[in-house]
Amino acid sequence: MAAVDAFAEICTDLSELQQKNQLCDGVLRTSDGQEFWVHRCILFVASPYFRDIYSAALRSGPATDLTLADTQGSVLSLILEYVYTKRANVSMSNVASMIPAAEQFKLPGIAEICSQFLIKNMNIDNCIGIFLMATNFHVRELEQASRRFILSNFYQVLTILSKNTSPINIYVNCVTYCMFYWRVQISKSSKEYISLSPETLESFLRADDLNLLKEELGFEALMRWVEVDPERRRPYLPTLLCCLRFGLCDHRYFMNTVLLHPYIKDTRECQSALVAASHILAEVEGNRNSILDLTHPLLRPRTPNQILFVIGGWSAGAATNLVETYDSRSNRWFIAAVGDIMPSVTAVMCGRAYHGLATVDSRIYMIGGFDGNQYFNSVRCFDPVSHRWAERGCMHEARCYVSTAVLSGRIYALGGYDGHRRTNTGETYDPGTNQWTMIAPMNNRRSDASAAALIDKVYIAGGFDGQVVLDSSEMYDPQQNLWAEIHHMLSPRSGTKLVSYNGSIYVLGGWNGMIRLRSGVK
């Protein structure tokens, strides 16, 4: 640690010398007339770009004065900041200039900083522009992350694009944050030019993880792309049509909209590309009760718009490590391979049951639980986009039969059983800091209860206190860090489920100490 601190101090001192033009032996001039005094040995060590220039110049004489004709002063200032301190103040206003500069000066560290910044700030407005820039400048991690984001949010991206009536507006929105790269392209392209190449569009439309609410949207997206420049883009139609899974389309839509589209109905190549789809849909339409081969390329479901995860639990007398997912569009359950469940955490994941699950920012958190021998305070997080698990900060207490809720981006873990007693304690987790904080204790000890958030409060109801099944309910106010008892339920319930919907809390099912319930209360 002391060595790291000493290195940071040296870097700070060198940076101060450069800024004050002290002991400098070289000067860099930019295209906008700015001058920067530098230490040539620092640049020589840090950047292969400057190493090559200074090495070549030394053979013909001292090189103290260099002009960087294609570099602005604002960019070079950030480059020098990184060279001297290994830090860079990246922002949305300069990141589009920093990535090409990182390639020019052969500084992959800057590209990494920019990549992480853009991944953190990626959204449906800028994801395509980020993808194009990452692809052009070969920033692999950023390219993969932006591609996953586009595929996972394809429906929302289409919605944004469909609101623009002018193709040039589509183009501008897509590349808001990579104008440096496209400054040259604008002068060479027509106003109707949009960002995706035929090859990139093909790779998107073929992807299994392309998230479309319905396959018809893929066809509409394809035709919108063609209509920007029909003369040059219609030749790609036969190939691109083969990327769509028309077996998932409505038969009437296929017959009346796809086959009769002006670009398709009079084009023999397009008609030929759709023959297999016509046969599949005719078969489906003729026998709606037939069992479909969902492995067929035209029938294989894509990643659904919404998916239900069931993770772990108790099965066949032991805790299980299985993960099942339900695809509502194909009405099928899928089981994840055991070896794929926790690849980044442990080679062999133990089973886990009676844990809590919570979702924040499209990530699933598995909280506490029991494996048949051990009671856990550990937390693991699953990213459905990258299909990876990661460890997160542990709770202060072990909890199985724990109740969880999410309010304002924070997870609440309430009550539970630690292997010795039922508890009335609770704690809250901030994903941003990866820290758990204890909150005020509840009025009752509860395990196997259920919690839900509504407006700005957290509610918990029912459960088991170690002796009796509870009918009591409580409300937590995070602003005051206080619990207050509210009306009791009409019957005691353990193993129940709380759901917040349309301004009310619903309590569903459970065990009242004698029978399993199918009733619900509001």
Side-chain angles (χ1 to χ4, degrees), residues 330-407:
S330 64
N331 192 27
R332 296 179 65 199
W333 284 91
F334 299 88
I335 297 179
V338 173
D340 294 337
I341 292 179
M342 287 281 199
S344 65
V345 175
T346 178
V348 180
M349 173 198 169
C350 63
R352 187 165 298 197
Y354 311 125
H355 49 277
L357 293 175
T359 302
V360 178
D361 293 333
S362 298
R363 288 175 170 80
I364 301 171
Y365 292 80
M366 184 172 66
I367 300 162
F370 176 63
D371 67 355
N373 295 297
Q374 183 179 356
Y375 298 86
F376 294 104
N377 68 339
S378 59
V379 177
R380 288 167 175 167
C381 175
F382 179 66
D383 184 343
V385 176
S386 64
H387 302 282
R388 292 186 62 82
W389 286 87
E391 295 279 6
R392 289 293 181 262
C394 292
M395 295 182 291
H396 295 275
E397 299 183 10
R399 302 176 189 271
C400 77
Y401 301 107
V402 62
S403 303
T404 58
V406 176
L407 177 64

Side-chain angles (χ1 to χ4, degrees), residues 20 95 332 351 522:
K20 295 177 181 178
V95 67
R332 296 179 65 199
K522 178 180 177 180

Side-chain angles (χ1 to χ4, degrees), residues 140-151:
R140 184 65 174 167
E141 182 183 8
L142 182 59
E143 179 183 349
Q144 292 175 339
S146 55
R147 176 184 169 82
R148 286 195 301 265
F149 188 96
I150 292 168
L151 293 176

Side-chain angles (χ1 to χ4, degrees), residues 203-223:
S203 73
F204 286 171
L205 294 179
R206 286 193 185 279
D208 282 336
D209 49 349
L210 178 66
N211 193 352
L212 288 173
L213 187 63
K214 53 184 180 179
E215 198 69 17
E216 288 86 344
L217 288 173
F219 176 74
E220 293 170 12
L222 170 58
M223 301 318 295

